[in-house]
Amino acid sequence: MSMLSLFIFFLLAFALTYFMRAYALKKNIIDNPNERSSHSVPTPRGGGVAVVCSYLLALTVLIYSQQLTLHIGLTLMAAGFVIALLGFLDDHGHINSMLRLAIHFLVAISVVISLGGFSEVTAFNGLALGFSANIIAVLFLVWLLNLYNFMDGINGIASVEAITTVVSMAILYYVLNTTLNSDIHWLLAACVFGFLLWNFPKAKIFMGDACSGFLGLTLGILALIALKENLALFCAWIICLGVFVVDATYTLIKRVLSGYKMYDAHRSHSYQILSRKWGSHTPVTLAVAAINLLWLLPLAYYTVTQPLAYPEFMVLVAYLPLILIAMKLKAGHPDA
């Protein structure tokens, strides 16, 4: 993948975000602050559609130039398009949460079937998962899709998480000289970066559900593609996604145990608490980038380059400090 190609798709996403902002203002697609919000000023939303459109075009180009197999390309494009369209419609008018979740499951099941299933996967140095691996894969995709929406709450955080994750994994693919395609990672980073400049440090437009769900699903599919190669690579993906996975999962479990409904609006994620404590979104987003690159990436590198009997153990090592941070900040606590 040439630098020129990356620059072209970066510019495309940047330009499309400008037009999406104009469209949102014209149609009054505005995100007004509520009890879940971490912002205080009404801001247009839906700018992430630019990322979706530019990345789908990038995948089309890769398929046409035979740099990406038709099977993988169409799986990413079809699943991503459906989730992005669902999010786009939700941005324009509320869609019933149960209907939305049902579609999420249908898309996730379709992806797992398209990828050939995961019944052959073993964990913990030989434990055969059988058909249960397919169920776990479906739940993984649905949860990652939704948690990405939960975590898209302050300026730049969802974009920075996506960029650092795919760049980290692209670096690992290069180090390992794997046959897996890393061009799809670099192109996604370029497209997201084109949007990021409109969203960070000061948000001129928000990403919206169309893109947050799209990113969560896309990252999940890329992780499952790595799982077809080997478990250590999949564990590396899980490690690199650690900030979002831990914050969203810990907060949700804490809130459910406290008697709250799963989709109740709130501001008790670790990143939201920190943004209030520090009085700004910017240092929190930069802290996420630092954790991803200085803590999670080295651990992911160790996981894929060392002959570990239990690569799953490295996920625990990576997550433990993040869990302790969430506990210290009282994430999910009603008074947080």
Side-chain angles (χ1 to χ4, degrees):
M1 177 55 57
S2 69
M3 289 298 296
L4 178 60
S5 298
L6 296 178
F7 185 64
I8 288 173
F9 282 102
F10 156 75
L11 283 181
L12 177 62
F14 182 85
L16 286 176
T17 305
Y18 168 83
F19 289 110
M20 286 306 303
R21 184 173 185 273
Y23 171 81
L25 290 172
K26 181 179 179 180
K27 297 294 184 178
N28 196 35
I29 306 172
I30 304 296
D31 197 323
N32 293 301
N34 57 36
E35 63 272 23
R36 180 187 163 189
S37 304
S38 294
H39 65 284
S40 56
V41 178
T43 306
R45 69 176 185 271
V49 170
V51 175
V52 175
C53 293
S54 55
Y55 190 57
L56 291 179
L57 179 60
L59 291 175
T60 303
V61 171
L62 287 179
I63 293 171
Y64 181 77
S65 61
Q66 297 184 335
Q67 298 177 63
L68 178 64
T69 63
L70 181 63
H71 173 235
I72 294 298
L74 289 182
T75 299
L76 283 164
M77 292 175 68
F81 175 78
V82 171
I83 293 302
L85 178 61
L86 182 65
F88 181 79
L89 295 175
D90 202 29
D91 280 336
H92 284 68
H94 179 68
I95 295 178
N96 180 272
S97 60
M98 293 308 297
L99 173 61
R100 188 168 65 242
L101 187 61
I103 296 174
H104 291 172
F105 270 101
L106 287 174
V107 170
I109 291 170
S110 299
V111 168
V112 171
I113 292 173
S114 176
L115 293 178
F118 298 90
S119 297
E120 77 284 359
V121 171
T122 59
F124 303 107
N125 200 25
L127 175 63
L129 298 179
F131 185 78
S132 65
N134 297 319
I135 298 174
I136 294 170
V138 169
L139 294 175
F140 168 71
L141 286 176
V142 172
W143 178 226
L144 195 58
L145 190 167
N146 281 278
L147 76 80
Y148 223 90
N149 178 263
F150 298 156
M151 294 294 292
D152 178 28
I154 62 173
N155 299 346
I157 191 169
S159 298
V160 164
E161 177 75 0
I163 292 169
T164 53
T165 297
V166 294
V167 167
S168 294
M169 291 308 303
I171 291 171
L172 295 183
Y173 284 11
Y174 175 78
V175 170
L176 292 174
N177 194 29
T178 178
T179 57
L180 293 173
N181 191 315
S182 62
D183 289 346
I184 51 180
H185 299 169
W186 290 113
L187 283 167
L188 182 59
C191 293
V192 175
F193 189 58
F195 165 79
L196 177 63
L197 297 185
W198 289 94
N199 184 246
F200 182 81
K202 181 177 175 59
K204 299 179 180 65
I205 188 169
F206 292 151
M207 180 176 284
D209 289 351
C211 186
S212 59
F214 174 85
L215 286 177
L217 180 71
T218 299
L219 294 173
I221 294 173
L222 294 176
L224 289 180
I225 292 171
L227 179 58
K228 300 293 281 188
E229 184 84 2
N230 64 64
L231 181 62
L233 269 178
F234 178 72
C235 288
W237 272 99
I238 302 302
I239 289 170
C240 289
L241 288 165
V243 170
F244 270 32
V245 172
V246 170
D247 194 355
T249 305
Y250 180 91
T251 302
L252 178 67
I253 292 173
K254 181 71 174 179
R255 286 182 58 79
V256 169
L257 291 177
S258 299
Y260 291 91
K261 294 179 181 178
M262 186 180 297
Y263 279 94
D264 282 347
H266 67 94
R267 295 197 303 164
S268 60
H269 286 288
S270 296
Y271 76 90
Q272 293 170 319
I273 297 169
L274 274 179
S275 68
R276 294 195 296 274
K277 284 181 177 291
W278 293 350
S280 173
H281 296 185
T282 302
V284 180
T285 298
L286 294 177
V288 169
I291 291 170
N292 288 350
L293 297 176
L294 301 180
W295 171 247
L296 298 178
L297 173 56
L299 288 176
Y301 173 82
Y302 184 83
T303 300
V304 299
T305 56
Q306 301 301 315
L308 300 173
Y310 298 101
E312 303 94 334
F313 175 71
M314 292 305 298
V315 177
L316 179 60
V317 172
Y319 280 18
L320 186 57
L322 303 178
I323 294 171
L324 293 176
I325 290 172
M327 293 173 63
K328 176 68 174 179
L329 292 172
K330 297 182 177 179
H333 194 278
D335 298 325

